[in-house]
Each structure stands twice: as structure tokens, then as C-alpha cells.
Amino acid sequence: MSRFFHGDSSSESSSSDEEELYSEEEDTAEKAESEDDSEEGDEDSEDDSSSDEDGKAKTGASKFLRSDDEESEESSDEERPTLVKSAKDKRFEELEATIKSIENAEKINDWAHISAEFDKLNRQVVKLVQAGTTPKIYVKAIADLEDFMNETIAKQKVSTKKMNATNSRGLNAVKQRIKRNNKDYAKDIELFREDKDAYLESEEEDAIPVEKPKKVKYSLALDDAGDDEGFSTVGKGGRTLQYTAESILKNLRAIVESRGKKNTDKSEQIKVMEKLHEVAVTPYQKIRVLLSLISTRFDLTSGSASFMSQEQWKSAEQEFGTLLEILNENPDIVVLENAEEWEDDEKQPTAAAGTKLKIPGSIVSFVERLDDELTRSLQQIDPHTAEYIERLTDEGALYTNIVRGLLYVEGLAKDKDLDIPQESKNRIIIRRLEHVYFKPSQVVTILEENTWKAIPSALDSEVTPRATTDSETIVFTLCTYLYQHSEGIIRARAMLCHIYFLALHDQYYRSRDMMLMSHLQETISSFDVNTQILYNRTLVQVGLCAFRAGLVYEAQNTLQDICGSGRQKELLAQGVMIQRYSQVSPEQERLERQRQLPFHMHINLELLECVYLTCSMLLEIPLLAQTGSSPDIKKRVISKTYRRMLEYHERQIFTGPPENTRDHVMQASKALAAGEWKKSTEFIHSIKIWDLMAQPDAIKKMLSEQIQEEGLRTYLFTYAPFYDTLSVETLAKMFELTERRIAAVISKMISHEELAAALDQVNSAIIFRKGVELSRLQSLALTLSDKASGLIESNERILEQRTQGTANAFDRNAQGGGRGGRGGRGGRGGRGQRGEGRGDGGGGQSSRQPGGNQFTGGAMGNRGAVRA
């Protein structure tokens, strides 16, 4: 029978139990309501863990009820007094516990534990010192620890047993920290060591509680902030921070030590140092504050993607100028990279007689960082906005600081005792050179004049004296100095800057000779990327200079490497070429963007392409006309890029009016090839990009003359087979050139064997030689012979690859055993001797007469000799 049918009695009993439980709970609730609220929490917490006196746990409703014994115990606990400790007492207890831990570690010589506890001790005492005087037990602890450390070091020098690595590291850490830490408490430590007992007994007298005005520490009023000695600021927790001239070095030390740590508010540090600079009295203090302040401003730009704000950059630039002024006014104080740091923050260092006070720092690094930050901001700003122009005006102030930095380094180099490295001077000179090499001479002259006006008249430079304002002289002087005193990358960059400047100012032959004599084209691949970019820029500028001088062949040959690659933007660092299937990582793309030049340093890429295509047209069109009479010239291609564009243009069914530079050059090429030189000239002159060059009228005149001459050459190449004689006067009228000029062009073509003709100067005519030009059949025959010879060469290469390692495989006269050729078995001559070939008629005849059945070296030649 199912167990569900036996539940009658049990259900009745359970319902009665539930009624009793509910009634008991109602009684308990009434009692609980009558009791105090404070007792409810105690009852709830104690009832859960209560048990009967017999050790049996209460069950059912009884476990929610309290006994009389429990109530009496709770009342006795309430009557017991509670001890409340102040925060200061708790901190003292923690301090004493840490000191006790250090003393225990000293007994077992555990320096790793001592080092950790010493750091903990210094953190604990900070709050106590801020609240009042320094605790005497702390002074006793650090004094005893220093004595114990000195004893341990002395024992280690004598002992043969070495300390383990962990203890040794802990000892060294304590040694470094305790000396620095104890300087702050030197007076207290001296008093303690003079009379230890008296010092400790006076602790109770000193610890008199001082009444604190309530709520004052939360007041933010700064009515008495500015007094004569310093200023006060409400810091964290409402504590008043005092900055005076005496505490400047300590505050600087704290700021320098916090650099690089997490959660460091650099903006707050800058504000603090600005106020420290205001209260600084001595030149030493001002210099120390400015060095730290400028470095912290540079630290604000974390990461390579961001750049320094204009406000921060201008502040750093002004503070750098102030720093140089203070250093010039106080020649007995110098800033050097290899100077030792002064560690005593209590007093200011003094220089010995006849020496100079050295402060660690780097003027050259500040100059370089200011320059880099300005360049980075110009990279990020849109160049087509007014903001870019406004930002570019800061370059004048930067150039002034570069020159002033150079003057300061020159002054330091005069003192032989300071041992200033030559590299510092070279670094700042190359920065100055890189700000002037790409500018026109008029701009450089104005920049130099404004710079020397802003520099005190008492200062002058040895490298570039104040009287020197001519731009070419300045660039030449700076470059010559670097040629003599530098090497490696700086020297190469100086040479490239010099060549660029000469090419920019239309001195083609000097720039070309310097480029060739430098041999940089052979070693440029070993330099860094930025120097390679400068080399590409210089090469392009030399090519443009050749074009302006009318040297078309030299210009095209120079620009071929850059413009023929199709990567002008990337090679000149004027844009990032994002290709469709390129596998460029984000890191590489970021580095590529960092190397981009500011917009004002760009070379116009449209002008560059126009010059390159125009030069290619003037060289390629006569060459294409010449191929009709001499098929060998077909192999010669001057510009593949231009040929592809021309072929694409010729394939077009409909060509409308030209829209861009490329269309103008292509249609001019088509007109020139057809003999319409005037139309070609009109197309070239209608390109508006020529107006960007220095003398556009002279450029257009030069291009007209070049088109006339190349049109004449093209005409002669094309129609020479149809003439017996041709009058020079006719050509002069046709191409609007003088007879003298036409005679010169024809003579040059005859001397270079480009034209099979003779010049009759008596009758002023050209006499063409017939039979020299090849017919169509002869040209095709020559082409066929060239292809046949190429096929034979490729066949021989295949054979050499297949017979590698078997040099005598096809040698019929080889001696040294083995059978001869594969003749018929038991043929006419019988079997020959071993090591001899099979003869035609008689046995043993080893030689084979030359004939048609020999191995010919063909593709099937590996079958051996052919049967007779």
C-alpha cells in the first residue's frame, strides 16, 4: 500500500505543533518589542550560538528564546568600561611594533627583513611628523640602526665568511637609504648621541597636547598665503604646505624622485615648481628649478602619437631663454651633462676657489627636444588652416634659442678644464643648419637679422660672427665647420644640406660636383632612414636645378630613380602610400608617419612630375622616331613610366581636351611626334604649374627652344628616307630657328651617327646617303636572327643545367674504361677493346671522323651517338 495513505495521524500532530510554535513566536515578538533597540542586535547574535547548560543544542521554538543566565552575562558586558584610543596613539603603537620587529631582525642579522621594515617605518613616521614633532623613539631607532649597520659593514670587511645574496642586497639598500634619510634628522640624532638618557626622558615633557582649532584645517581661505618669505597652499587633507627659499631643494628632490611613478600629477608638479621659481632667491636655486621645470613640461607628452600643446611649448621656450640669461649673467655656474648631483638639500653648494660650480643638465638636449616637439606639432596640424601658419611663427623664437644655445656651448668649450665634448657643439650646429638649408636666401637673411637683434650685443659667435648675415656665407661656414670637426651621419647630413642649398639657388655644376665627389650614392644605404630621405630630397633638388638650367638630359637622368619608381611621396617623406595588398604592420605605419616632413618643407610633387614627364617627352619622342630606320634602338628605353603613359593614351578611342598636367604632356607628345611643334609648345605653355617656379617666363622660353630643336630632330628621323637633299633654309623657316642653329643640330646628329647624311655648307643643304636605311624585310630578318640567337643561348643554358656534375658525359674521346657509343650489337666491326668506342667498319677503331652524325648539342643530344 502506498505510503501516502498513512499520513492521517501525522498530519494532525504536525498541525498542532505548528499552532504551538506560532503562539510561542507571538510571545517572543511581544517581549522583543518591549526591549531596547540596542539590545536587539546583541540578542540576535548571541541567540544563534547559545546552547543549554547540559551541552544540548536547543531545538524548535526554544532556540529563539534567551535564558536568564544569558541576560545577566549581557548586562555585565554592558557595565564593563570600553577603552577608546586616539589615532595618534594607534600610530605610536604601530611605530613601536615596527621598531620592535627591526630589533628582532638585528638579533638574527636578517637584513632583507630590516630593509622592508625600515621602509615601513619611514612611511608610518610621516603622519606623526606632520601632526607634531618627530617621535623620540624613531630618532633612537634610526640612530641605533645606523650604528648597527656600520658595525656589520666593518665585520664583513674582516670576516672571511661572505653574506648571502639576499642579505647583501638588503644591507646595500639600507645603506643607501639610511644616509639620505638621516640627513633630515641630523640635529635630533646628534642630541640623542650626546646624552641618550636625557634625550629620552625629555619625551614626556615635549609631548604636551596642543589644542587645535576645530574645523580650521578644512578652511580653504588663503588670506595670509603670500608673506615675505614664501607662500602657503592647502594640500591634501587640508594641511597647509609651506614653500620657502630654504625648502626649495627638498621639494625639488621629492618631485624628481616621483618622476615616472604611477598616479603622479605632472600638472600639479608644474604648478608647484612655478611657485618655487617665484620664491627662489639665488641663481643656483633658479637654475635647479628651471632645469626640473623644463624637463617636467616635456614629460607631459607621453607617447609618440601626442604632441606638446602650444601653451606648454611656449612656456618651455621662455623658461629655456630665462635659463640661458641666468647662466650668461653668472659665468661661475655651468650646466654640464657629466656633472655630479648635489645630494645635500639642507645647504647650497659652493665652488672652490678658481673653479666653477657644476650643475647636472643638458642644454643641447633641451634645444633638440624643443625642435622635435615643434616639428611633431607641425606634422599633426592641418597645413591648410590658419593654425598652421600661427604655429609656424614659433620657428623664429626656436631659431633664436638654437643660436643662443650654440653661443653658450661655445663659451663652455673655451674653458679646457670643463672638457666639453665636440659632439655637443656638432649636434647644435646641425640643428641650426637644418633650419636654413631649404629656405631661400632672402628668408635666411631676415631670419638671421631678427635673431641677432634678440641676442644681447655682448654675445658673439666664433663659428658665425654677428656681422655675417649673407645666407650663402652662413651655410658654407656651418658646413665647413662640420666637415672638419664631425664624422659619420652628421658630416653626411651637412654635405647633403650644402648640396641642397646650392641646387636651390641655381648652382647646378657646383652641387653636381659635390654630389659626385662625396660618393654618398655608394654608402647611403648604410645610413638611417632620415638621412636617406634627405638624400632623396637633395637628388630631386639637383634634378630641378638642371631643368632650370636647360639641361634636359641631366634632369631626366637625375629624377629617374625617384619619379620612375612611382613612390615619390614615400621616398620624400611627404605622405604615406597605403597600397591595397601591402602587409604593413601598425607599428611600421606609425613610424612612417613620424618621419613625415612638415608641409612647409615639401617639394611640390605635381611640379616634380611635370618636369620629369616634360624631360622624358623631349628625349623619348625623337628616340621613337629613330626606331624606323634602326631596329636596335627599340631595346633602348629611357623612361618606362613615360612609355606606359604614352601607350595608354594612344589606346584611347576618344581624347578630350587636357585636364591635368599628365594630359597636357601626353597631347604635347602626340603633337610633337606628328611634327606639329607649335601645337606642342602651346600645350606645354598652358600648364599652370610653371608659375610656381622662380622665373616662369625664362622657363617657358627655354622649353620653346627645346621643343623646336627636338621637333627638328624628330622630323629628320621620320622623313630622311624620302629626301635626297634638303635645304637648311627650308628647315629654318619650318621650325623658326636660325640657319646657324639648324646647322649645329644636324652636325651633332651626323657626328653621333644618328643621321646618315652630309652637310653641304657651300649650298647650305643636307645630302642624305641612300641605301644605309634598312628596308622592312631587312629589319624583319635582323629581328629573326636576334630571336634565333636568343633561342640558341637559352638552349645551351638548359643543357648546362642538366649536365652539372657530368662534365665528360658527351666526350667521345674520353679515356679510362667503359664502353664506347651505343652501336649495334655485333655490328660490322665487331666488338672493340675495353675503353674504346665502337667503330664504323673495323673493330677497335676509337676515333670518329667529324660528320653529320655527331652530337649536335640539341635538346635530344642525351641519347648519345647516332647509328651510322
Side-chain angles (χ1 to χ4, degrees):
M1 192 173 180
S2 175
R3 60 189 174 89
F4 296 106
F5 292 98
H6 291 282
D8 295 338
S9 61
S10 61
S11 63
E12 291 173 1
S13 63
S14 63
S15 62
S16 63
D17 290 341
E18 287 177 1
E19 290 175 0
E20 292 176 1
L21 180 62
Y22 291 152
S23 63
E24 288 172 357
E25 286 178 353
E26 288 174 1
D27 297 340
T28 306
E30 290 176 0
K31 291 177 182 179
E33 287 175 2
S34 63
E35 292 175 354
D36 199 292
D37 294 338
S38 63
E39 295 177 358
E40 287 181 2
D42 297 336
E43 288 169 6
D44 293 339
S45 61
E46 291 175 2
D47 285 343
D48 293 338
S49 60
S50 63
S51 60
D52 294 341
E53 292 177 0
D54 300 336
K56 296 179 181 180
K58 295 180 181 181
T59 58
S62 61
K63 69 179 181 179
F64 296 102
L65 302 177
R66 291 187 304 172
S67 64
D68 296 336
D69 298 335
E70 292 172 354
E71 291 180 0
S72 63
E73 287 176 4
E74 289 176 3
S75 63
S76 63
D77 289 340
E78 291 173 2
E79 293 173 358
R80 191 177 303 158
T82 304
L83 182 62
V84 180
K85 295 182 180 179
S86 65
K88 184 177 180 181
D89 294 337
K90 288 180 181 178
R91 289 179 186 139
F92 265 105
E93 287 183 1
E94 292 173 358
L95 193 70
E96 289 173 355
T98 307
I99 293 171
K100 186 68 176 175
S101 178
I102 291 175
E103 291 174 353
N104 292 335
E106 288 177 357
K107 294 176 183 177
I108 59 174
N109 207 24
D110 186 359
W111 282 100
H113 185 70
I114 292 173
S115 176
E117 292 296 313
F118 182 65
D119 291 342
K120 181 180 176 182
L121 182 71
N122 289 331
R123 288 195 299 271
Q124 291 171 347
V125 82
V126 169
K127 295 180 179 178
L128 292 170
V129 171
Q130 289 175 352
T133 58
T134 307
K136 302 293 179 66
I137 55 172
Y138 173 75
V139 175
K140 177 181 180 297
I142 60 176
D144 292 342
L145 180 59
E146 186 177 10
D147 295 339
F148 181 71
M149 180 196 70
N150 293 331
E151 291 176 8
T152 306
I153 294 172
K155 288 178 183 178
Q156 283 296 314
K157 291 180 180 178
V158 180
S159 175
T160 56
K161 186 178 179 181
K162 290 186 178 180
M163 191 179 289
N164 62 36
T166 307
N167 265 359
S168 180
R169 282 196 296 270
L171 177 60
N172 290 333
V174 173
K175 181 181 176 182
Q176 291 174 359
R177 293 173 193 153
I178 201 167
K179 286 184 178 179
R180 191 184 303 167
N181 181 72
N182 286 12
K183 286 179 182 178
D184 298 334
Y185 307 100
K187 295 180 180 178
D188 294 329
I189 292 174
E190 287 178 7
L191 292 173
F192 170 73
R193 285 176 175 163
E194 287 175 3
D195 192 350
K196 297 182 180 180
D197 296 333
Y199 182 80
L200 294 175
E201 285 175 2
S202 62
E203 182 176 1
E204 296 179 359
E205 300 175 2
D206 294 341
I208 299 173
V210 180
E211 280 193 25
K212 295 182 179 178
K214 294 182 180 180
K215 303 294 182 181
V216 170
K217 64 178 182 178
Y218 300 105
S219 174
L220 296 178
L222 295 174
D223 296 334
D224 57 343
D227 54 3
D228 294 335
E229 296 181 357
F231 61 90
S232 60
T233 306
V234 176
K236 187 178 179 181
R239 293 188 300 272
T240 301
L241 303 177
Q242 292 288 339
Y243 294 105
T244 60
E246 291 77 15
S247 64
I248 284 178
L249 299 180
K250 285 185 180 180
N251 292 314
L252 280 180
R253 172 84 60 185
I255 291 172
V256 170
E257 289 177 353
S258 65
R259 283 182 69 184
K261 293 183 179 179
K262 290 183 179 180
N263 303 324
T264 303
D265 190 355
K266 295 175 184 174
S267 301
E268 186 64 29
Q269 288 183 346
I270 288 175
K271 291 179 182 177
V272 171
M273 284 189 283
E274 286 175 348
K275 294 176 180 178
L276 288 176
H277 182 248
E278 293 175 6
V279 300
V281 178
T282 63
Y284 175 81
Q285 292 175 344
K286 293 179 180 179
I287 292 171
R288 284 284 304 272
V289 172
L290 287 172
L291 289 172
S292 301
L293 180 55
I294 297 171
S295 301
T296 309
R297 288 194 191 278
F298 289 139
D299 288 344
L300 283 174
T301 57
S302 58
S304 57
S306 61
F307 60 94
M308 202 170 180
S309 65
Q310 186 175 5
E311 180 185 357
Q312 291 291 341
W313 188 91
K314 284 189 173 181
S315 299
E317 182 265 328
Q318 291 171 1
E319 288 156 2
F320 181 70
T322 306
L323 174 64
L324 291 177
E325 288 177 3
I326 297 172
L327 289 172
N328 289 327
E329 292 171 0
N330 299 274
D332 55 329
I333 303 176
V334 293
V335 175
L336 300 176
E337 294 181 10
N338 54 1
E340 295 182 0
E341 188 175 355
W342 180 259
E343 295 186 355
D344 190 358
D345 298 335
E346 294 291 337
K347 59 181 180 179
Q348 181 176 320
T350 55
T355 61
K356 294 183 178 180
L357 182 58
K358 300 177 182 178
I359 302 175
S362 178
I363 298 297
V364 181
S365 298
F366 283 159
V367 170
E368 292 177 337
R369 190 65 189 274
L370 282 170
D371 191 10
D372 292 340
E373 290 295 340
L374 180 61
T375 303
R376 190 182 298 179
S377 65
L378 290 172
Q379 288 173 348
Q380 302 291 334
I381 299 173
D382 184 5
H384 305 292
T385 60
E387 183 185 359
Y388 187 90
I389 305 298
E390 181 185 354
R391 195 75 179 91
L392 193 58
T393 55
D394 294 332
E395 189 182 13
L398 173 63
Y399 187 77
T400 302
N401 280 326
I402 291 175
V403 176
R404 293 190 65 180
L406 175 60
L407 297 178
Y408 181 72
V409 174
E410 284 181 10
L412 294 181
K414 294 178 183 177
D415 192 347
K416 302 298 182 183
D417 298 334
L418 297 177
D419 192 19
I420 303 298
Q422 181 64 39
E423 185 186 0
S424 299
K425 203 171 180 180
N426 295 341
R427 281 162 56 193
I428 203 165
I429 287 177
I430 192 66
R431 290 281 177 169
R432 181 181 178 185
L433 182 61
E434 287 176 353
H435 275 273
V436 298
Y437 80 95
F438 62 92
K439 292 183 172 71
S441 58
Q442 299 89 345
V443 177
V444 177
T445 303
I446 294 171
L447 184 64
E448 285 287 330
E449 290 175 354
N450 293 336
T451 298
W452 286 109
K453 286 178 184 176
I455 296 175
S457 57
L459 299 176
D460 202 357
S461 173
E462 293 180 352
V463 181
T464 56
R466 183 184 289 266
T468 307
T469 55
D470 181 47
S471 59
E472 186 175 351
T473 307
I474 290 170
V475 173
F476 178 77
T477 306
L478 294 175
C479 292
T480 306
Y481 183 87
L482 291 176
Y483 297 156
Q484 296 173 353
H485 298 90
S486 66
E487 57 186 11
I489 290 179
I490 292 182
R491 187 175 185 181
R493 291 186 70 87
M495 193 167 294
L496 290 172
C497 290
H498 197 183
I499 296 169
Y500 190 104
F501 185 82
L502 292 174
L504 185 66
H505 293 84
D506 296 329
Q507 299 186 37
Y508 169 72
Y509 292 104
R510 284 185 63 189
S511 60
R512 182 203 62 181
D513 294 344
M514 282 190 66
M515 178 68 85
L516 294 176
M517 288 189 295
S518 67
H519 297 285
L520 284 173
Q521 60 271 18
E522 300 170 5
T523 59
I524 192 62
S525 58
S526 61
F527 289 101
D528 63 321
V529 178
N530 291 325
T531 306
Q532 292 179 15
I533 290 169
L534 179 58
Y535 175 81
N536 293 339
R537 285 167 52 79
T538 305
L539 201 63
V540 166
Q541 199 59 247
V542 172
L544 293 175
C545 180
F547 176 77
R548 291 192 296 269
L551 305 171
V552 175
Y553 177 76
E554 288 82 355
Q556 200 279 338
N557 195 24
T558 307
L559 298 175
Q560 175 66 38
D561 293 336
I562 304 296
C563 300
S565 64
R567 298 164 53 223
Q568 297 96 312
K569 273 188 179 181
E570 185 179 351
L571 294 175
L572 298 175
Q574 296 182 189
V576 180
M577 299 287 291
I578 302 177
Q579 300 176 358
R580 183 177 297 177
Y581 301 107
S582 63
Q583 297 178 350
V584 180
S585 64
E587 181 68 18
Q588 290 175 334
E589 185 177 351
R590 184 180 62 81
L591 292 174
E592 189 71 26
R593 293 190 183 280
Q594 282 183 3
R595 288 193 286 263
Q596 300 304 301
L597 293 172
F599 184 76
H600 67 282
M601 297 177 66
H602 284 193
I603 297 172
N604 194 313
L605 294 179
E606 188 179 356
L607 175 63
L608 181 62
E609 184 187 26
C610 182
V611 169
Y612 174 70
L613 291 178
T614 304
C615 293
S616 299
M617 177 193 75
L618 294 173
L619 296 176
E620 285 278 10
I621 295 300
L623 187 63
L624 290 171
Q626 193 179 1
T627 55
S629 58
S630 180
D632 291 337
I633 302 179
K634 283 187 178 179
K635 297 179 181 178
R636 184 185 168 204
V637 177
I638 295 177
S639 172
K640 291 182 179 180
T641 307
Y642 175 80
R643 284 279 180 101
R644 283 196 300 268
M645 291 181 185
L646 191 61
E647 289 172 2
Y648 176 78
H649 188 267
E650 288 176 350
R651 286 198 301 267
Q652 300 297 317
I653 298 172
F654 172 75
T655 54
E659 296 179 356
N660 52 25
T661 303
R662 190 174 299 178
D663 291 345
H664 279 87
V665 176
M666 291 301 109
Q667 295 210 14
S669 303
K670 197 173 180 180
L672 185 61
E676 300 176 353
W677 65 270
K678 288 186 178 180
K679 190 175 181 181
S680 176
T681 304
E682 290 176 2
F683 279 123
I684 294 297
H685 284 188
S686 62
I687 300 175
K688 296 180 180 179
I689 200 73
W690 302 124
D691 295 333
L692 296 179
M693 302 191 91
Q695 297 175 342
D697 294 334
I699 296 294
K700 291 178 180 178
K701 183 180 179 182
M702 180 269 295
L703 286 173
S704 298
E705 294 175 357
Q706 293 285 344
I707 291 172
Q708 286 173 318
E709 291 182 11
E710 298 304 326
L712 172 62
R713 284 164 49 83
T714 305
Y715 183 84
L716 290 175
F717 283 138
T718 306
Y719 299 106
F722 305 100
Y723 285 100
D724 290 329
T725 60
L726 185 60
S727 172
V728 174
E729 185 181 354
T730 304
L731 292 175
K733 291 178 180 178
M734 187 182 298
F735 292 96
E736 298 182 2
L737 290 171
T738 61
E739 294 184 8
R740 183 183 181 86
R741 185 61 186 161
I742 287 178
V745 171
I746 294 172
S747 300
K748 188 176 181 181
M749 293 173 69
I750 294 172
S751 66
H752 290 171
E753 296 182 357
E754 295 175 343
L755 187 65
L759 184 62
D760 186 359
Q761 295 183 350
V762 176
N763 298 320
S764 184
I766 306 169
I767 304 171
F768 294 96
R769 293 201 301 269
K770 292 296 179 182
V772 179
E773 293 81 6
L774 299 176
S775 65
R776 180 67 175 167
L777 180 61
Q778 290 171 331
S779 299
L780 292 174
L782 285 173
T783 305
L784 180 62
S785 66
D786 290 342
K787 290 184 178 180
S789 63
L791 184 62
I792 291 173
E793 290 176 2
S794 63
N795 199 12
E796 289 178 353
R797 284 196 297 269
I798 293 172
L799 177 64
E800 288 175 3
Q801 292 175 1
R802 291 188 177 183
T803 59
Q804 284 181 356
T806 56
N808 298 323
F810 303 103
D811 190 357
R812 302 316 189 270
N813 300 324
Q815 302 294 327
R819 297 183 62 175
R822 292 181 57 192
R825 190 172 182 80
R828 286 178 291 176
R831 200 177 182 87
Q833 300 295 326
R834 288 185 65 83
E836 296 179 354
R838 189 109 182 195
D840 276 340
Q845 186 177 356
S846 62
S847 63
R848 184 180 180 90
Q849 297 297 326
N853 293 333
Q854 261 188 315
F855 169 67
T856 60
M860 300 298 291
N862 56 357
R863 293 184 58 85
V866 181
R867 210 182 275 183

